[in-house]
Amino acid sequence: MKIEITGVNMSVNDRLREEVESQLSKFHRFFGDEAVTTVKVQPDQKDVKVEITLKIHRDIYRVEATAPEAKVALDAAIDNLERQIRKHKSKLKKRKRDLSYMDDYLDQLPALTEEEIQEATPEITRRKRFVIDAMDPEEAALQMELIDHDFFLYLSPETGKVCVLYKRHDGDYGILEPEY
């Protein structure tokens, strides 16, 4: 498994780097060299935030955790990653496309209870249809604020593609621009 460790506005010492590699080694034995893991460590006010993104084939798992110390945040993020994969275990097994790269890992996870299966199965309760207008990101941000949503779909006049403007946790905005 390829592991990329990055410190944002802080340096990652060798001890933390070894701890990250050690904790992620359990995933390596299941996913091998096909998995790419990105670990980002950054200060978050008085705490440290650890973000882990694990990409295997077309599947992407992303978790983050914040704690006063980097190791504690790392432990919490690893636990969240395992919980996320376990939570989606039954969905992954039901999917039609080949998930043989996950079989060994999923088989070693404990089975979900009926209650956990119900919690992990969200329902689509509403469908909306609407016209997507061409507009620049600033206009999309204004429209998003007017309807009081956390995201807004719009057509980029520059690229001609559908983009998503979303509100980030820090209050700023982000744009998702698809490549197809």
Side-chain angles (χ1 to χ4, degrees):
M1 172 175 4
K2 182 179 177 191
I3 301 173
E4 299 170 5
I5 304 168
T6 308
V8 178
N9 298 329
M10 66 181 290
S11 62
V12 178
N13 62 28
D14 291 338
R15 200 164 108 200
L16 180 59
R17 191 172 298 276
E18 289 171 7
E19 185 65 30
V20 168
E21 291 171 356
S22 170
Q23 293 254 6
L24 290 173
S25 67
K26 64 177 131 190
F27 295 106
H28 176 71
R29 70 179 171 194
F30 295 109
F31 304 140
D33 294 332
E34 297 174 9
V36 176
T37 307
T38 305
V39 180
K40 186 164 71 170
V41 182
Q42 64 186 22
D44 185 33
Q45 296 173 0
K46 293 183 179 183
D47 294 330
V48 176
K49 181 164 78 170
V50 174
E51 296 177 16
I52 300 175
T53 305
L54 174 64
K55 184 171 183 188
I56 315 160
H57 296 277
R58 292 176 48 184
D59 296 323
I60 299 173
Y61 301 92
R62 184 185 176 283
V63 295
E64 62 181 53
T66 305
E69 295 179 17
K71 179 167 179 353
V72 176
L74 174 65
D75 291 343
I78 295 288
D79 290 345
N80 291 344
L81 183 61
E82 289 176 329
R83 193 175 309 113
Q84 188 181 87
I85 293 172
R86 180 175 177 253
K87 180 179 172 183
H88 293 93
K89 174 183 176 180
S90 59
K91 289 181 193 175
L92 291 170
K93 287 219 173 225
K94 288 179 185 176
R95 287 194 353 213
K96 302 213 183 316
R97 72 172 199 252
D98 181 30
L99 292 173
S100 59
Y101 65 91
M102 297 264 312
D103 284 344
D104 292 338
Y105 183 73
L106 294 175
D107 288 342
Q108 66 98 29
L109 290 175
L112 294 172
T113 65
E114 191 62 37
E115 184 178 301
E116 288 174 319
I117 291 172
Q118 289 298 327
E119 287 178 13
T121 310
E123 288 184 44
I124 297 173
T125 58
R126 185 174 179 197
R127 262 184 215 272
K128 257 181 131 172
R129 295 179 187 264
F130 57 94
V131 176
I132 298 178
D133 295 323
M135 62 183 74
D136 60 29
E138 289 76 22
E139 174 67 18
L142 176 63
Q143 294 295 321
M144 182 177 74
E145 291 298 325
L146 289 173
I147 62 173
D148 195 29
H149 281 184
D150 293 332
F151 66 93
F152 190 81
L153 250 55
Y154 68 98
L155 187 63
S156 171
E158 298 164 359
T159 63
K161 295 181 179 179
V162 175
C163 296
V164 177
L165 177 80
Y166 64 95
K167 188 173 264 188
R168 296 172 41 91
H169 294 294
D170 60 8
D172 290 336
Y173 297 107
I175 296 178
L176 300 175
E177 297 177 317
E179 293 181 6
Y180 48 89

